[in-house]
Amino acid sequence: MLNGTEDEEKWLAEGIAGIQHNAFYMHRALDSNNLREALKYSAQMLSELRTSKLSPHKYYELYMRAFDELKRLELFFKDDSKHGVSVVDLYELVQHAGNILPRLYLLCTVGSIYIKSKEAPAKEVLKDLVEMCRGVQHPIRGLFLRSYLAQISRDKLPDIGSEYEGDADTVMDAVDFVLQNFTEMNKLWVRMQHQGPGGVREKREKERSELQDLVGKNLHVLSQIEGVDLEMYKETVLPRVLEQVVNCKDDLAQYYLMDCIIQVFPDEYHLQTLETLLGACPQLQPTVDVKTVLSRLMDRLSNYAASSADVLPEFLQVEAFSKLSNAIGKVIEAQLDMPAVGAITLYVSLLTFTLRVHPDRLDHVDQVLGACVKKLSNIPKLEDSRAMKQVVALLSAPLEKYNDIVTALTLSNYPRVMDHLDIGTNKLMAMVIIQSIMKNNSCISTADKVEVLFELIKGLIKDIDGADVDELDEEDFKEEQNSVARLIHMLYNDEPEEMLKIICIVRKHTMVGGPKRLPFTVSSLVFSALRLLRQLQGQEGDIVGEEASMTPNKNFQLLTQIIESLSAVPSPELALRLYLQCAEAANGCDIEHVAYEFFTQAFVLYEEEIADSKAQVTAIHLIIGTLQRMNVFGVENRDTLTHKATGYSARLLKKADQCRAVYACSHLFWVDDQDGIKDGERVLLCLKRALRIANAAQQMANVARGSGGPVSLFVEILNKYIYFFEKGNKQITSSAIQGLIELINTEMQSDSTNPDSVADAFLASTLRYIQFQKQKGGVMGEKFESIKL
């Protein structure tokens, strides 16, 4: 027993063998110019195409074998000197073939020569052929026969400019022929669905799909007829094609043929006949995928609009957007069971269309978004991932078109569409919005737009109900929050009043972000407020804010409140840095009591919150560095703060850290500017204290490990001595530097000191510098001259 596939292969092989056998004898007859024998064997050869046992794919193989042989037969028929029969007589003669299928193939072959001979009008011969082909009503055999007719006649149509052109109605004759052949082929194609038992429907649909191009080629031929201008297409071609499409009531045929119409005819024809084409869509079967048809139509029109600005007035003239929008609405209303992804896909295509054709019409964009909101409102929860991707595409389109989030923020329905996204996709879309702002360097400059923006990205700045916080990826979370922090820097207005409103709105949204988010967003918010402070400098009077009048003092109160929110985290190191930044800002505004208060807060955090020794070292150096730059303090306040700083420096855990912090404090007593403090004695005290600590560190290392510690601390202190010596501190003498150099050399030569290449290189570099200064001459050279190396 053979299975179905093996049976088909066997039948195909038998058919090919039959064609080859009869073709052999046909060739012999052609070589001997024996017309009668040639017709006999060609008819027998073509009888192999009468089989009903093959699938369309296998039948096509058989048909191509016969087609190749018919081309050779046509060459023989063409040369009447070989067979001595006129083309008119030959046209009559082949009609005596026994079986109708071979007869019609031969008739089409001779008919092609008949038209070429011009012994009869092309339209008459074509009309005769297309009518005669009705004799074959078997779907597959009939489709291939009519495909052969279309193939041999496509270059012989009575078109304008063609050598077969006839009278005034010549183009209409060509159109009538192609349309009639198309109609008959479509009927045969549709009829296939009713063949065979009901249980093999899927197989039949697959076979029909394999044959669809045979039918569609007729529409391609129609589109190539030179005489089919817009008027003829509008009045004749399109109505007759659509009539056939609608009346066949077959979903596969309707979908394929509508797609063919869209693909093969010119864009300008579609634009001018948009109402007619769209009017057919609601008449299609409910199972037809109309959304894809409409989407492809809109994509073609969008590309047409993008191809040249000259065509845009045509779109306005025909009111393309309005017609497409109405058609989509009707289709969605008619197909109640259309899935969400289908409806949203239509809106994406419509939005793409309007962004290309009418980019200035934001009302059109908002209308599309509003229609999408209306559709999504009928869905309890959007769970289809494909639909979600389409919503993201819908929201991304305006961002990509305008390269400006500010434009998107004016669309009232934009945030309403985002509300229908799930938590993960909402965050993804929020990141897309922020990235768009960063990429295009967009500045959001009004409080109203900032409010809308933060509503759009609320999924990033606070926990949404239903979100699983535990499953949040740490790296993703950091990336999201860093993006929000960068975004805050893009919110700016030159008018302090508006800038204050922006800061208040950002504060309102970010303060509810919870302890995990605050460390990321508070810093940016503080620096935005500091930028506002710089705007306020030099301005008189109050600026009306959201709650109260705005002066630098009020701004500092706002900054204090923002930084204090970090206590919930807690994040004392970050809060300390921000307090010091604010202290510098108060210094710039020349407000001493405010600057002092910020330093007080920084010291409180240092005392009570920062316990880690490394964090303490970093913090004390930040405090020293900031305090050194301050010039707003009076003598009493400055002494209090410097005393605190030096005291904390000396109480660090490690001796090396103590030493470095103490010699850093020396800069607090020597500020190198016009009105700066220059207290040489206290500088020397700090350096001597650092030297004692370094010596104690050396001794502790010797006791603990039996060997001395590195001498790098002494070299660092030596550099400080040299710095202040150069700056003119009279308390720092060349003899003190000389003594320190000798101390270092002694320590390095000691047996208890471990070799340290870094310290050696550092010392060598320092000594080279002293030598350079000695050789330079002048006042500085004289100062260094007494130092012996």
Side-chain angles (χ1 to χ4, degrees):
M1 283 290 289
L2 297 174
N3 60 35
T5 305
E6 291 172 340
D7 283 342
E8 196 172 21
E9 291 291 343
K10 174 190 165 193
W11 294 326
L12 175 61
E14 289 174 354
I16 291 173
I19 288 176
Q20 290 174 337
H21 173 77
N22 287 293
F24 172 78
Y25 288 105
M26 183 186 79
H27 293 165
R28 288 177 61 178
L30 296 178
D31 292 340
S32 61
N33 297 330
N34 188 332
L35 177 61
R36 183 175 177 179
E37 289 295 301
L39 288 174
K40 171 185 171 184
Y41 286 110
S42 61
Q44 290 178 9
M45 174 190 73
L46 291 167
S47 292
E48 297 295 338
L49 295 177
R50 295 171 59 207
T51 180
S52 304
K53 298 177 179 179
L54 300 179
S55 65
H57 180 70
K58 297 298 182 183
Y59 190 90
Y60 174 74
E61 290 186 41
L62 196 64
Y63 164 80
M64 288 307 299
R65 296 290 184 121
F67 181 79
D68 291 340
E69 299 299 335
L70 283 172
K71 284 195 290 186
R72 180 163 181 179
L73 185 63
E74 183 183 3
L75 294 174
F76 174 73
F77 287 156
K78 227 183 251 186
D79 190 354
D80 57 3
S81 64
K82 289 186 176 181
H83 51 73
V85 179
S86 70
V87 70
V88 178
D89 293 338
L90 190 59
Y91 190 70
E92 291 293 329
L93 182 62
V94 294
Q95 296 185 41
H96 295 293
N99 291 309
I100 189 167
L101 188 65
R103 182 195 314 157
L104 292 175
Y105 271 105
L106 291 171
L107 190 65
C108 291
T109 306
V110 177
S112 168
I113 302 165
Y114 197 5
I115 295 171
K116 267 192 162 184
S117 71
K118 300 180 184 175
E119 294 187 26
K123 69 172 185 178
E124 297 296 339
V125 179
L126 291 172
K127 184 179 179 181
D128 187 41
L129 290 175
V130 78
E131 290 289 346
M132 294 282 276
C133 284
R134 286 186 176 178
V136 178
Q137 289 297 308
H138 184 277
I140 294 180
R141 294 198 291 266
L143 281 169
F144 277 95
L145 171 63
R146 287 188 175 276
S147 176
Y148 180 69
L149 172 61
Q151 180 74 21
I152 57 101
S153 63
R154 64 184 304 165
D155 59 344
K156 302 174 185 68
L157 297 174
D159 191 9
I160 290 177
S162 164
E163 60 179 297
Y164 309 108
E165 183 178 356
D167 53 24
D169 295 327
T170 184
V171 176
M172 200 64 238
D173 294 331
V175 169
D176 280 338
F177 166 74
V178 178
L179 281 173
Q180 188 174 350
N181 198 45
F182 161 71
T183 301
E184 294 299 327
M185 287 183 78
N186 191 47
K187 288 177 180 176
L188 291 169
W189 186 43
V190 171
R191 194 184 304 153
M192 279 185 69
Q193 67 177 312
H194 304 299
Q195 281 191 322
V200 293
R201 176 178 175 79
E202 187 177 332
K203 181 185 175 185
R204 283 202 308 272
E205 291 300 295
K206 182 184 175 185
E207 291 179 349
R208 289 186 64 209
S209 297
E210 293 173 355
L211 293 169
Q212 61 187 17
D213 286 346
L214 299 180
V215 183
K217 280 178 184 175
N218 288 282
L219 298 181
H220 183 261
V221 172
L222 269 177
S223 70
Q224 300 300 307
I225 297 176
E226 289 291 334
V228 176
D229 55 12
L230 176 59
E231 192 62 29
M232 179 173 285
Y233 177 78
K234 190 175 184 178
E235 298 297 329
T236 305
V237 175
L238 183 61
R240 285 179 62 180
V241 172
L242 287 178
E243 180 185 11
Q244 178 59 33
V245 171
V246 172
N247 290 341
C248 74
K249 298 189 183 305
D250 175 67
D251 53 357
L252 178 63
Q254 288 180 337
Y255 172 76
Y256 173 72
L257 294 175
M258 288 295 286
D259 189 47
C260 272
I261 294 169
I262 292 166
Q263 299 302 327
V264 302
F265 290 105
D267 298 318
E268 56 268 32
Y269 286 17
H270 293 322
L271 191 58
Q272 297 300 327
T273 58
L274 197 54
E275 196 165 358
T276 305
L277 193 57
L278 293 174
C281 290
Q283 301 178 56
L284 302 178
Q285 296 297 100
T287 51
V288 174
D289 186 8
V290 183
K291 74 174 189 310
T292 304
V293 173
L294 287 173
S295 294
R296 288 178 179 171
L297 174 62
M298 287 185 281
D299 289 345
R300 269 210 75 168
L301 292 176
S302 297
N303 293 330
Y304 178 50
S307 66
S308 170
D310 298 336
V311 303
L312 294 180
E314 297 177 32
F315 284 86
L316 296 171
Q317 183 183 359
V318 302
E319 298 180 341
F321 174 78
S322 176
K323 290 175 180 175
L324 287 166
S325 182
N326 290 335
I328 288 171
K330 288 178 181 176
V331 167
I332 292 174
E333 286 177 14
Q335 298 192 12
L336 297 174
D337 57 344
M338 178 186 287
V341 64
I344 301 167
T345 301
L346 282 174
Y347 289 128
V348 170
S349 296
L350 182 59
L351 185 60
T352 305
F353 170 82
T354 193
L355 287 172
R356 285 189 175 178
V357 180
H358 312 291
D360 55 326
R361 294 294 302 270
L362 290 177
D363 56 325
H364 284 176
V365 177
D366 210 30
Q367 182 181 330
V368 177
L369 294 173
C372 186
V373 170
K374 184 179 177 182
K375 176 65 180 177
L376 292 172
S377 299
N378 298 324
I379 304 169
K381 188 178 181 182
L382 194 61
E383 295 179 340
D384 185 353
S385 60
R386 295 175 304 156
M388 206 74 73
K389 286 180 181 177
Q390 288 300 315
V391 174
V392 171
L394 188 78
L395 292 166
S396 301
L399 301 181
E400 293 168 1
K401 176 63 182 178
Y402 298 118
N403 290 329
D404 181 13
I405 186 64
V406 177
T407 305
L409 294 177
T410 62
L411 303 169
S412 61
N413 287 306
Y414 198 92
R416 295 174 64 198
V417 176
M418 276 197 71
D419 287 341
H420 289 278
L421 296 173
D422 62 28
I423 295 168
T425 313
N426 189 293
K427 285 185 177 182
L428 179 67
M429 194 63 227
M431 287 292 287
V432 169
I433 291 171
I434 294 176
Q435 286 161 5
S436 173
I437 293 173
M438 296 300 161
K439 178 183 175 184
N440 300 298
N441 202 25
S442 305
C443 180
I444 319 301
S445 57
T446 66
D448 293 341
K449 288 176 181 173
V450 171
E451 182 70 54
V452 176
L453 174 62
F454 272 74
E455 275 298 315
L456 292 178
I457 64 166
K458 62 187 176 185
L460 298 179
I461 57 179
K462 66 179 181 180
D463 293 328
I464 302 175
D465 293 340
D468 192 345
V469 181
D470 295 333
E471 290 188 5
L472 196 62
D473 182 81
E474 194 66 29
E475 288 299 318
D476 290 343
F477 179 77
K478 286 181 180 178
E479 183 183 355
E480 291 168 2
Q481 298 312 305
N482 283 326
S483 296
V484 175
R486 287 194 292 270
L487 172 66
I488 294 173
H489 293 297
M490 304 301 292
L491 314 176
Y492 181 71
N493 193 298
D494 289 327
E495 293 296 325
E497 180 179 354
E498 191 68 19
M499 187 63 198
L500 174 62
K501 291 179 181 177
I502 290 173
I503 289 171
C504 290
I505 288 170
V506 175
R507 181 190 173 202
K508 177 184 74 175
H509 284 281
T510 55
M511 288 301 110
V512 297
K516 286 192 71 176
R517 291 183 176 86
L518 284 176
F520 294 92
T521 52
V522 163
S523 298
S524 296
L525 188 54
V526 166
F527 280 98
S528 289
L530 291 174
R531 180 162 57 175
L532 171 60
L533 189 65
R534 290 192 291 273
Q535 290 177 255
L536 291 171
Q537 286 184 38
Q539 292 196 7
E540 296 180 2
D542 292 345
I543 297 174
V544 178
E546 191 177 69
E547 298 172 356
S549 60
M550 188 62 191
T551 62
N553 276 324
K554 291 286 185 183
N555 199 10
F556 283 122
Q557 291 174 13
L558 175 64
L559 282 163
T560 302
Q561 293 166 9
I562 293 170
I563 299 172
E564 283 177 350
S565 66
L566 287 172
S567 62
V569 176
S571 184
E573 293 95 338
L574 176 60
L576 182 139
R577 288 173 181 270
L578 295 175
Y579 278 132
L580 294 177
Q581 287 287 342
C582 293
E584 281 205 75
N587 182 71
C589 294
D590 202 24
I591 307 176
E592 182 179 3
H593 70 279
V594 172
Y596 188 85
E597 178 60 28
F598 281 124
F599 262 100
T600 302
Q601 294 299 326
F603 277 122
V604 168
L605 284 174
Y606 181 86
E607 289 176 355
E608 299 179 359
E609 301 290 339
I610 301 177
D612 180 71
S613 59
K614 288 184 179 179
Q616 285 182 339
V617 171
T618 303
I620 200 64
H621 280 281
L622 285 170
I623 290 170
I624 294 168
T626 306
L627 186 55
Q628 191 267 342
R629 294 190 294 273
M630 305 293 285
N631 53 28
V632 70
F633 294 127
V635 175
E636 184 180 348
N637 283 341
R638 186 173 184 89
D639 281 349
T640 302
L641 295 174
T642 51
H643 178 73
K644 277 280 186 186
T646 51
Y648 286 132
S649 299
R651 289 199 293 273
L652 290 171
L653 179 63
K654 296 179 181 179
K655 289 293 181 183
D657 293 334
Q658 287 180 22
C659 178
R660 291 186 175 101
V662 167
Y663 73 57
C665 287
S666 63
H667 290 279
L668 297 176
F669 306 106
W670 192 279
V671 180
D672 194 26
D673 57 32
Q674 188 175 358
D675 302 320
I677 302 164
K678 289 184 171 61
D679 189 342
E681 288 186 6
R682 296 181 75 176
V683 169
L684 182 60
L685 283 172
C686 282
L687 294 180
K688 285 183 174 180
R689 189 174 187 183
L691 204 53
R692 287 197 300 272
I693 296 171
N695 193 47
Q698 190 80 345
Q699 291 175 2
M700 286 176 65
N702 194 30
V703 170
R705 294 192 293 270
S707 62
V711 297
S712 56
L713 286 175
F714 293 110
V715 182
E716 290 170 25
I717 296 169
L718 172 61
N719 276 268
K720 290 299 175 186
Y721 267 85
I722 295 171
Y723 171 82
F724 288 111
F725 182 64
E726 283 185 337
K727 293 299 179 182
N729 186 340
K730 294 179 181 179
Q731 303 299 318
I732 307 296
T733 63
S734 59
S735 60
I737 294 174
Q738 183 75 59
L740 188 52
I741 292 172
E742 292 172 359
L743 172 64
I744 293 170
N745 286 329
T746 303
E747 287 293 333
M748 292 183 76
Q749 292 167 10
S750 170
D751 294 336
S752 62
T753 302
N754 290 326
D756 185 350
S757 59
V758 176
D760 293 346
F762 191 8
L763 176 62
S765 179
T766 304
L767 297 178
R768 280 197 305 272
Y769 178 76
I770 295 172
Q771 185 65 37
F772 170 75
Q773 293 290 38
K774 289 175 70 174
Q775 293 172 354
K776 193 162 65 171
V779 177
M780 194 60 69
E782 290 178 6
K783 288 183 72 171
F784 278 88
E785 187 60 37
S786 59
I787 300 174
K788 307 298 180 184
L789 301 178

